[in-house]
Amino acid sequence: MTGNGDKQAQAKTVRLGAPADTSFRGRDILSVKQFSRTDLERIFLVARNMRTAVETVGSIDLLKGRLLTAAFYEPSTRTSSSFQAAMKRLGGEVIALSGMAYSSVAKGETLEDTMRTLEAYSDVLVLRHPEKGSAARAARVTRCPVINAGDGPGEHPTQALLDMFTIEQELGRFDGIRVAMVGDLRYGRTVHSLSRLLTHFDVTLDLVSPELLRMPAHIVQELRDAGMTVNETADLESVLPHADVLYCTRVQKERFEDPSDYAKVKGAYIFDPDVMGRAKADAVLMHPFPRVDEITPAVDSDPRAAYFRQIEYGLYVRMALLAMVLGQA
Ligand code: ASP
């Protein structure tokens, strides 16, 4: 397989044969780099419709008879359960595989063989795997759409889409806003993906991290090349008064080679009511979760704390994506 275009063509004939032709049908979702601003607007439109559907009737049967297989080689709570909930609320079926270490992987099976096996049963595959590029590898050997649910420190495109949808729902606009990303910008895949999506809009980005956890230089360069104003600092206080969105992240303990480095940076930034007292009155505080100690529970009742709503928006976005790649929206 050479790319999404070929896969799309094959999927049309092999898998779907459905009437409506759409630009998403049969496509893999591997990286946010594949999305244009028009794509984003279309996804948000479908996600808004999914929200209305869930709020009015709970479930619909758009994907009745379709089967999603989710293979998680790394821990997950929200991504895994929200893909399952999304498929079920669309009337589809799910095979959810977690603890892949106990599957044939333990006997030495390659990712490629496992994915080709799972494809034999499925209409769409969702993969989380610790290696960067793993979802692209899976996509190369399969015909049905593959959705990247996190490839190590690489990307987390569906999280970024739901983060964008959260900003849209909470603020009602992207252009002219100032977004601060705070914490582990080195290993945090969600910020790698989200920052790239934000380049489609007129957004100023403040990157707040300890020196050790700075956003990889090639990503910062990519953002600047796309015309974005990007500021890097270690000082949260300097960005607090201007940020429309405060996007807080967990220090990714599992990705540190040297545990003493983790000890140096853990707990670098903590949002508590005192810190929030210096943020804008209409700021939106987001976090991809799980949180460890970056936001104290005392902040949860602050109306600016959007992280639980963010989880709910994720359901609508994943419903939209599933319906779209399976040619039904
Ligand atoms: N749940 C997010 C991820 O899978 C964020 C995190 O783990 O910190 O990347």
Side-chain angles (χ1 to χ4, degrees), residues 74-79 128 149-150 152 155-156 159 187-190 247 249-252 254-255 287-291:
E74 274 194 335
S76 171
T77 303
R78 277 149 296 277
T79 307
R128 170 169 290 185
E155 281 215 39
H156 196 344
Q159 175 74 45
Y187 297 116
R189 55 195 172 197
T190 70
Y247 191 98
T249 63
R250 170 180 75 91
V251 179
Q252 308 276 301
E254 68 276 28
R255 311 225 186 271
H287 192 302
F289 268 34
R291 66 174 152 182

PDB file of all heavy atoms in Angstrom, residues 74-79 128 149-150 152 155-156 159 187-190 247 249-252 254-255 287-291, ligand 1:
ATOM      1  N   GLU A  74      -0.662  -0.309  24.971  1.00  0.00           N
ATOM      2  CA  GLU A  74      -0.260   0.585  26.072  1.00  0.00           C
ATOM      3  C   GLU A  74      -1.510   0.908  26.854  1.00  0.00           C
ATOM      4  O   GLU A  74      -2.615   0.850  26.304  1.00  0.00           O
ATOM      5  CB  GLU A  74       0.257   1.924  25.506  1.00  0.00           C
ATOM      6  CG  GLU A  74       1.693   1.984  25.137  1.00  0.00           C
ATOM      7  CD  GLU A  74       2.145   3.439  24.928  1.00  0.00           C
ATOM      8  OE1 GLU A  74       1.311   4.298  24.614  1.00  0.00           O
ATOM      9  OE2 GLU A  74       3.336   3.680  25.091  1.00  0.00           O
ATOM     10  N   PRO A  75      -1.374   1.316  28.125  1.00  0.00           N
ATOM     11  CA  PRO A  75      -2.573   1.604  28.919  1.00  0.00           C
ATOM     12  C   PRO A  75      -3.421   2.718  28.319  1.00  0.00           C
ATOM     13  O   PRO A  75      -2.914   3.617  27.668  1.00  0.00           O
ATOM     14  CB  PRO A  75      -2.007   2.059  30.270  1.00  0.00           C
ATOM     15  CG  PRO A  75      -0.598   1.582  30.306  1.00  0.00           C
ATOM     16  CD  PRO A  75      -0.137   1.507  28.895  1.00  0.00           C
ATOM     17  N   SER A  76      -4.718   2.607  28.543  1.00  0.00           N
ATOM     18  CA  SER A  76      -5.643   3.649  28.095  1.00  0.00           C
ATOM     19  C   SER A  76      -6.939   3.512  28.873  1.00  0.00           C
ATOM     20  O   SER A  76      -7.397   2.407  29.131  1.00  0.00           O
ATOM     21  CB  SER A  76      -5.948   3.483  26.612  1.00  0.00           C
ATOM     22  OG  SER A  76      -6.990   4.344  26.225  1.00  0.00           O
ATOM     23  N   THR A  77      -7.506   4.633  29.246  1.00  0.00           N
ATOM     24  CA  THR A  77      -8.851   4.611  29.835  1.00  0.00           C
ATOM     25  C   THR A  77      -9.803   5.302  28.879  1.00  0.00           C
ATOM     26  O   THR A  77     -10.713   4.692  28.317  1.00  0.00           O
ATOM     27  CB  THR A  77      -8.861   5.345  31.199  1.00  0.00           C
ATOM     28  OG1 THR A  77      -7.903   4.732  32.042  1.00  0.00           O
ATOM     29  CG2 THR A  77     -10.235   5.274  31.854  1.00  0.00           C
ATOM     30  N   ARG A  78      -9.573   6.597  28.649  1.00  0.00           N
ATOM     31  CA  ARG A  78     -10.501   7.394  27.842  1.00  0.00           C
ATOM     32  C   ARG A  78     -10.499   7.019  26.368  1.00  0.00           C
ATOM     33  O   ARG A  78     -11.554   6.850  25.764  1.00  0.00           O
ATOM     34  CB  ARG A  78     -10.170   8.890  27.960  1.00  0.00           C
ATOM     35  CG  ARG A  78     -10.757   9.556  29.169  1.00  0.00           C
ATOM     36  CD  ARG A  78      -9.861  10.671  29.628  1.00  0.00           C
ATOM     37  NE  ARG A  78      -8.592  10.104  30.050  1.00  0.00           N
ATOM     38  CZ  ARG A  78      -8.375   9.587  31.269  1.00  0.00           C
ATOM     39  NH1 ARG A  78      -9.310   9.646  32.173  1.00  0.00           N
ATOM     40  NH2 ARG A  78      -7.211   9.052  31.599  1.00  0.00           N
ATOM     41  N   THR A  79      -9.330   6.925  25.753  1.00  0.00           N
ATOM     42  CA  THR A  79      -9.302   6.698  24.302  1.00  0.00           C
ATOM     43  C   THR A  79      -9.968   5.365  23.992  1.00  0.00           C
ATOM     44  O   THR A  79     -10.817   5.265  23.104  1.00  0.00           O
ATOM     45  CB  THR A  79      -7.849   6.721  23.776  1.00  0.00           C
ATOM     46  OG1 THR A  79      -7.252   7.939  24.207  1.00  0.00           O
ATOM     47  CG2 THR A  79      -7.805   6.643  22.273  1.00  0.00           C
ATOM     48  N   ARG A 128      -3.241   1.502  19.507  1.00  0.00           N
ATOM     49  CA  ARG A 128      -2.306   2.252  20.372  1.00  0.00           C
ATOM     50  C   ARG A 128      -1.092   1.366  20.608  1.00  0.00           C
ATOM     51  O   ARG A 128      -1.237   0.193  20.986  1.00  0.00           O
ATOM     52  CB  ARG A 128      -2.942   2.624  21.709  1.00  0.00           C
ATOM     53  CG  ARG A 128      -1.885   3.178  22.677  1.00  0.00           C
ATOM     54  CD  ARG A 128      -2.444   3.803  23.900  1.00  0.00           C
ATOM     55  NE  ARG A 128      -3.111   5.056  23.579  1.00  0.00           N
ATOM     56  CZ  ARG A 128      -3.617   5.876  24.492  1.00  0.00           C
ATOM     57  NH1 ARG A 128      -3.527   5.582  25.769  1.00  0.00           N
ATOM     58  NH2 ARG A 128      -4.211   7.000  24.129  1.00  0.00           N
ATOM     59  N   ALA A 149      -4.332   5.626  17.692  1.00  0.00           N
ATOM     60  CA  ALA A 149      -4.813   6.053  19.015  1.00  0.00           C
ATOM     61  C   ALA A 149      -3.628   6.356  19.932  1.00  0.00           C
ATOM     62  O   ALA A 149      -3.723   6.228  21.150  1.00  0.00           O
ATOM     63  CB  ALA A 149      -5.701   4.966  19.612  1.00  0.00           C
ATOM     64  N   GLY A 150      -2.498   6.752  19.326  1.00  0.00           N
ATOM     65  CA  GLY A 150      -1.297   7.079  20.094  1.00  0.00           C
ATOM     66  C   GLY A 150      -0.168   6.152  19.701  1.00  0.00           C
ATOM     67  O   GLY A 150      -0.248   4.951  19.950  1.00  0.00           O
ATOM     68  N   GLY A 152       3.388   5.876  20.690  1.00  0.00           N
ATOM     69  CA  GLY A 152       4.501   6.267  21.557  1.00  0.00           C
ATOM     70  C   GLY A 152       4.549   7.777  21.709  1.00  0.00           C
ATOM     71  O   GLY A 152       3.508   8.420  21.873  1.00  0.00           O
ATOM     72  N   GLU A 155       2.341  10.778  17.778  1.00  0.00           N
ATOM     73  CA  GLU A 155       1.149  11.608  17.640  1.00  0.00           C
ATOM     74  C   GLU A 155      -0.063  10.974  18.308  1.00  0.00           C
ATOM     75  O   GLU A 155      -0.063   9.776  18.624  1.00  0.00           O
ATOM     76  CB  GLU A 155       0.835  11.796  16.156  1.00  0.00           C
ATOM     77  CG  GLU A 155       1.703  12.846  15.500  1.00  0.00           C
ATOM     78  CD  GLU A 155       0.930  13.614  14.444  1.00  0.00           C
ATOM     79  OE1 GLU A 155      -0.263  13.916  14.658  1.00  0.00           O
ATOM     80  OE2 GLU A 155       1.532  13.889  13.400  1.00  0.00           O
ATOM     81  N   HIS A 156      -1.072  11.779  18.485  1.00  0.00           N
ATOM     82  CA  HIS A 156      -2.354  11.289  19.018  1.00  0.00           C
ATOM     83  C   HIS A 156      -3.433  12.105  18.296  1.00  0.00           C
ATOM     84  O   HIS A 156      -4.050  12.995  18.871  1.00  0.00           O
ATOM     85  CB  HIS A 156      -2.390  11.525  20.527  1.00  0.00           C
ATOM     86  CG  HIS A 156      -3.439  10.745  21.257  1.00  0.00           C
ATOM     87  ND1 HIS A 156      -4.514  10.136  20.624  1.00  0.00           N
ATOM     88  CD2 HIS A 156      -3.598  10.477  22.589  1.00  0.00           C
ATOM     89  CE1 HIS A 156      -5.264   9.533  21.538  1.00  0.00           C
ATOM     90  NE2 HIS A 156      -4.734   9.720  22.737  1.00  0.00           N
ATOM     91  N   GLN A 159      -7.047  12.651  19.693  1.00  0.00           N
ATOM     92  CA  GLN A 159      -7.054  13.524  20.871  1.00  0.00           C
ATOM     93  C   GLN A 159      -6.966  14.978  20.420  1.00  0.00           C
ATOM     94  O   GLN A 159      -7.665  15.849  20.934  1.00  0.00           O
ATOM     95  CB  GLN A 159      -5.870  13.185  21.786  1.00  0.00           C
ATOM     96  CG  GLN A 159      -5.716  14.106  22.984  1.00  0.00           C
ATOM     97  CD  GLN A 159      -6.754  13.878  24.077  1.00  0.00           C
ATOM     98  OE1 GLN A 159      -7.026  12.728  24.440  1.00  0.00           O
ATOM     99  NE2 GLN A 159      -7.351  14.938  24.606  1.00  0.00           N
ATOM    100  N   TYR A 187       7.776  14.846  25.441  1.00  0.00           N
ATOM    101  CA  TYR A 187       7.246  13.508  25.208  1.00  0.00           C
ATOM    102  C   TYR A 187       5.729  13.494  25.009  1.00  0.00           C
ATOM    103  O   TYR A 187       5.169  12.477  24.614  1.00  0.00           O
ATOM    104  CB  TYR A 187       7.581  12.599  26.398  1.00  0.00           C
ATOM    105  CG  TYR A 187       9.056  12.391  26.620  1.00  0.00           C
ATOM    106  CD1 TYR A 187       9.667  12.846  27.784  1.00  0.00           C
ATOM    107  CD2 TYR A 187       9.839  11.748  25.676  1.00  0.00           C
ATOM    108  CE1 TYR A 187      11.025  12.647  28.004  1.00  0.00           C
ATOM    109  CE2 TYR A 187      11.204  11.546  25.887  1.00  0.00           C
ATOM    110  CZ  TYR A 187      11.787  11.995  27.053  1.00  0.00           C
ATOM    111  OH  TYR A 187      13.128  11.797  27.259  1.00  0.00           O
ATOM    112  N   GLY A 188       5.063  14.589  25.352  1.00  0.00           N
ATOM    113  CA  GLY A 188       3.597  14.594  25.281  1.00  0.00           C
ATOM    114  C   GLY A 188       3.117  14.606  23.835  1.00  0.00           C
ATOM    115  O   GLY A 188       3.222  15.611  23.136  1.00  0.00           O
ATOM    116  N   ARG A 189       2.588  13.490  23.391  1.00  0.00           N
ATOM    117  CA  ARG A 189       2.186  13.407  21.973  1.00  0.00           C
ATOM    118  C   ARG A 189       0.968  14.272  21.679  1.00  0.00           C
ATOM    119  O   ARG A 189       0.764  14.708  20.549  1.00  0.00           O
ATOM    120  CB  ARG A 189       1.919  11.944  21.596  1.00  0.00           C
ATOM    121  CG  ARG A 189       0.901  11.264  22.491  1.00  0.00           C
ATOM    122  CD  ARG A 189       0.942   9.766  22.315  1.00  0.00           C
ATOM    123  NE  ARG A 189       0.113   9.075  23.299  1.00  0.00           N
ATOM    124  CZ  ARG A 189       0.218   7.781  23.570  1.00  0.00           C
ATOM    125  NH1 ARG A 189       1.117   7.044  22.954  1.00  0.00           N
ATOM    126  NH2 ARG A 189      -0.587   7.221  24.452  1.00  0.00           N
ATOM    127  N   THR A 190       0.136  14.520  22.698  1.00  0.00           N
ATOM    128  CA  THR A 190      -1.083  15.293  22.414  1.00  0.00           C
ATOM    129  C   THR A 190      -0.727  16.721  21.997  1.00  0.00           C
ATOM    130  O   THR A 190      -1.346  17.277  21.099  1.00  0.00           O
ATOM    131  CB  THR A 190      -2.042  15.326  23.624  1.00  0.00           C
ATOM    132  OG1 THR A 190      -1.468  16.122  24.652  1.00  0.00           O
ATOM    133  CG2 THR A 190      -2.341  13.946  24.159  1.00  0.00           C
ATOM    134  N   TYR A 247      -3.509  24.714  28.231  1.00  0.00           N
ATOM    135  CA  TYR A 247      -3.525  23.266  27.961  1.00  0.00           C
ATOM    136  C   TYR A 247      -2.420  22.626  28.779  1.00  0.00           C
ATOM    137  O   TYR A 247      -1.231  22.765  28.489  1.00  0.00           O
ATOM    138  CB  TYR A 247      -3.326  23.016  26.457  1.00  0.00           C
ATOM    139  CG  TYR A 247      -3.585  21.584  26.051  1.00  0.00           C
ATOM    140  CD1 TYR A 247      -4.801  21.202  25.503  1.00  0.00           C
ATOM    141  CD2 TYR A 247      -2.614  20.586  26.222  1.00  0.00           C
ATOM    142  CE1 TYR A 247      -5.048  19.887  25.130  1.00  0.00           C
ATOM    143  CE2 TYR A 247      -2.852  19.271  25.865  1.00  0.00           C
ATOM    144  CZ  TYR A 247      -4.071  18.934  25.309  1.00  0.00           C
ATOM    145  OH  TYR A 247      -4.319  17.618  24.943  1.00  0.00           O
ATOM    146  N   THR A 249      -0.403  19.479  30.693  1.00  0.00           N
ATOM    147  CA  THR A 249      -0.104  18.068  30.410  1.00  0.00           C
ATOM    148  C   THR A 249       0.625  17.404  31.577  1.00  0.00           C
ATOM    149  O   THR A 249       1.261  18.070  32.388  1.00  0.00           O
ATOM    150  CB  THR A 249       0.814  17.929  29.173  1.00  0.00           C
ATOM    151  OG1 THR A 249       2.070  18.562  29.476  1.00  0.00           O
ATOM    152  CG2 THR A 249       0.211  18.576  27.939  1.00  0.00           C
ATOM    153  N   ARG A 250       0.543  16.093  31.580  1.00  0.00           N
ATOM    154  CA  ARG A 250       1.225  15.252  32.569  1.00  0.00           C
ATOM    155  C   ARG A 250       2.682  15.046  32.135  1.00  0.00           C
ATOM    156  O   ARG A 250       2.959  14.916  30.938  1.00  0.00           O
ATOM    157  CB  ARG A 250       0.494  13.910  32.568  1.00  0.00           C
ATOM    158  CG  ARG A 250       1.116  12.775  33.309  1.00  0.00           C
ATOM    159  CD  ARG A 250       0.213  11.531  33.185  1.00  0.00           C
ATOM    160  NE  ARG A 250       0.299  10.911  31.869  1.00  0.00           N
ATOM    161  CZ  ARG A 250       1.150   9.944  31.530  1.00  0.00           C
ATOM    162  NH1 ARG A 250       2.016   9.479  32.413  1.00  0.00           N
ATOM    163  NH2 ARG A 250       1.147   9.428  30.311  1.00  0.00           N
ATOM    164  N   VAL A 251       3.591  14.976  33.094  1.00  0.00           N
ATOM    165  CA  VAL A 251       4.959  14.588  32.749  1.00  0.00           C
ATOM    166  C   VAL A 251       4.939  13.080  32.463  1.00  0.00           C
ATOM    167  O   VAL A 251       4.468  12.282  33.279  1.00  0.00           O
ATOM    168  CB  VAL A 251       5.952  14.946  33.885  1.00  0.00           C
ATOM    169  CG1 VAL A 251       7.365  14.512  33.508  1.00  0.00           C
ATOM    170  CG2 VAL A 251       5.922  16.452  34.156  1.00  0.00           C
ATOM    171  N   GLN A 252       5.408  12.716  31.264  1.00  0.00           N
ATOM    172  CA  GLN A 252       5.246  11.341  30.758  1.00  0.00           C
ATOM    173  C   GLN A 252       6.325  10.416  31.359  1.00  0.00           C
ATOM    174  O   GLN A 252       7.286  10.039  30.671  1.00  0.00           O
ATOM    175  CB  GLN A 252       5.332  11.334  29.234  1.00  0.00           C
ATOM    176  CG  GLN A 252       4.409  12.334  28.546  1.00  0.00           C
ATOM    177  CD  GLN A 252       3.001  11.815  28.361  1.00  0.00           C
ATOM    178  OE1 GLN A 252       2.781  10.793  27.715  1.00  0.00           O
ATOM    179  NE2 GLN A 252       2.026  12.493  28.966  1.00  0.00           N
ATOM    180  N   GLU A 254       6.694   7.383  31.911  1.00  0.00           N
ATOM    181  CA  GLU A 254       7.055   6.124  31.248  1.00  0.00           C
ATOM    182  C   GLU A 254       8.019   6.299  30.076  1.00  0.00           C
ATOM    183  O   GLU A 254       8.560   5.322  29.566  1.00  0.00           O
ATOM    184  CB  GLU A 254       5.784   5.383  30.803  1.00  0.00           C
ATOM    185  CG  GLU A 254       4.968   6.040  29.679  1.00  0.00           C
ATOM    186  CD  GLU A 254       3.983   7.120  30.147  1.00  0.00           C
ATOM    187  OE1 GLU A 254       4.216   7.769  31.186  1.00  0.00           O
ATOM    188  OE2 GLU A 254       2.993   7.348  29.418  1.00  0.00           O
ATOM    189  N   ARG A 255       8.222   7.552  29.629  1.00  0.00           N
ATOM    190  CA  ARG A 255       9.088   7.741  28.457  1.00  0.00           C
ATOM    191  C   ARG A 255      10.508   8.228  28.830  1.00  0.00           C
ATOM    192  O   ARG A 255      11.339   8.465  27.972  1.00  0.00           O
ATOM    193  CB  ARG A 255       8.462   8.709  27.464  1.00  0.00           C
ATOM    194  CG  ARG A 255       7.028   8.388  27.138  1.00  0.00           C
ATOM    195  CD  ARG A 255       6.676   8.441  25.686  1.00  0.00           C
ATOM    196  NE  ARG A 255       5.233   8.262  25.513  1.00  0.00           N
ATOM    197  CZ  ARG A 255       4.631   7.098  25.370  1.00  0.00           C
ATOM    198  NH1 ARG A 255       5.332   5.979  25.368  1.00  0.00           N
ATOM    199  NH2 ARG A 255       3.315   7.021  25.243  1.00  0.00           N
ATOM    200  N   HIS A 287      -6.953  19.541  29.751  1.00  0.00           N
ATOM    201  CA  HIS A 287      -5.941  18.526  30.092  1.00  0.00           C
ATOM    202  C   HIS A 287      -6.383  17.242  29.397  1.00  0.00           C
ATOM    203  O   HIS A 287      -7.554  16.878  29.472  1.00  0.00           O
ATOM    204  CB  HIS A 287      -5.901  18.330  31.624  1.00  0.00           C
ATOM    205  CG  HIS A 287      -4.722  17.538  32.114  1.00  0.00           C
ATOM    206  ND1 HIS A 287      -4.448  16.258  31.684  1.00  0.00           N
ATOM    207  CD2 HIS A 287      -3.738  17.837  33.009  1.00  0.00           C
ATOM    208  CE1 HIS A 287      -3.346  15.815  32.291  1.00  0.00           C
ATOM    209  NE2 HIS A 287      -2.895  16.753  33.092  1.00  0.00           N
ATOM    210  N   PRO A 288      -5.451  16.541  28.728  1.00  0.00           N
ATOM    211  CA  PRO A 288      -5.884  15.313  28.033  1.00  0.00           C
ATOM    212  C   PRO A 288      -6.171  14.155  28.998  1.00  0.00           C
ATOM    213  O   PRO A 288      -6.792  13.169  28.598  1.00  0.00           O
ATOM    214  CB  PRO A 288      -4.706  14.988  27.115  1.00  0.00           C
ATOM    215  CG  PRO A 288      -3.519  15.610  27.788  1.00  0.00           C
ATOM    216  CD  PRO A 288      -4.028  16.841  28.493  1.00  0.00           C
ATOM    217  N   PHE A 289      -5.704  14.284  30.225  1.00  0.00           N
ATOM    218  CA  PHE A 289      -5.860  13.259  31.238  1.00  0.00           C
ATOM    219  C   PHE A 289      -5.089  11.998  30.852  1.00  0.00           C
ATOM    220  O   PHE A 289      -4.945  11.722  29.683  1.00  0.00           O
ATOM    221  CB  PHE A 289      -7.347  12.958  31.471  1.00  0.00           C
ATOM    222  CG  PHE A 289      -7.957  13.788  32.575  1.00  0.00           C
ATOM    223  CD1 PHE A 289      -7.544  15.085  32.811  1.00  0.00           C
ATOM    224  CD2 PHE A 289      -8.960  13.266  33.386  1.00  0.00           C
ATOM    225  CE1 PHE A 289      -8.104  15.856  33.825  1.00  0.00           C
ATOM    226  CE2 PHE A 289      -9.531  14.016  34.398  1.00  0.00           C
ATOM    227  CZ  PHE A 289      -9.110  15.309  34.614  1.00  0.00           C
ATOM    228  N   PRO A 290      -4.615  11.135  31.734  1.00  0.00           N
ATOM    229  CA  PRO A 290      -4.827  11.262  33.168  1.00  0.00           C
ATOM    230  C   PRO A 290      -3.992  12.401  33.761  1.00  0.00           C
ATOM    231  O   PRO A 290      -2.887  12.653  33.320  1.00  0.00           O
ATOM    232  CB  PRO A 290      -4.318   9.919  33.694  1.00  0.00           C
ATOM    233  CG  PRO A 290      -3.284   9.478  32.695  1.00  0.00           C
ATOM    234  CD  PRO A 290      -3.765   9.976  31.382  1.00  0.00           C
ATOM    235  N   ARG A 291      -4.564  13.046  34.787  1.00  0.00           N
ATOM    236  CA  ARG A 291      -3.763  14.027  35.517  1.00  0.00           C
ATOM    237  C   ARG A 291      -3.107  13.300  36.686  1.00  0.00           C
ATOM    238  O   ARG A 291      -3.675  12.345  37.211  1.00  0.00           O
ATOM    239  CB  ARG A 291      -4.621  15.190  36.009  1.00  0.00           C
ATOM    240  CG  ARG A 291      -5.637  14.816  37.058  1.00  0.00           C
ATOM    241  CD  ARG A 291      -6.366  16.017  37.622  1.00  0.00           C
ATOM    242  NE  ARG A 291      -7.691  15.617  38.084  1.00  0.00           N
ATOM    243  CZ  ARG A 291      -8.578  16.449  38.592  1.00  0.00           C
ATOM    244  NH1 ARG A 291      -8.311  17.733  38.711  1.00  0.00           N
ATOM    245  NH2 ARG A 291      -9.763  16.010  38.986  1.00  0.00           N
TER     246      ARG A 291
HETATM  247  N1  ASP B   1      -3.926  10.218  27.467  1.00  0.00           N
HETATM  248  C1  ASP B   1      -2.951  11.013  26.752  1.00  0.00           C
HETATM  249  C2  ASP B   1      -2.111  10.136  25.847  1.00  0.00           C
HETATM  250  O1  ASP B   1      -2.407   8.974  25.672  1.00  0.00           O
HETATM  251  C3  ASP B   1      -2.156  11.881  27.640  1.00  0.00           C
HETATM  252  C4  ASP B   1      -1.268  11.217  28.655  1.00  0.00           C
HETATM  253  O2  ASP B   1      -1.151   9.984  28.708  1.00  0.00           O
HETATM  254  O3  ASP B   1      -0.664  11.970  29.414  1.00  0.00           O
HETATM  255  O4  ASP B   1      -1.174  10.632  25.265  1.00  0.00           O
END
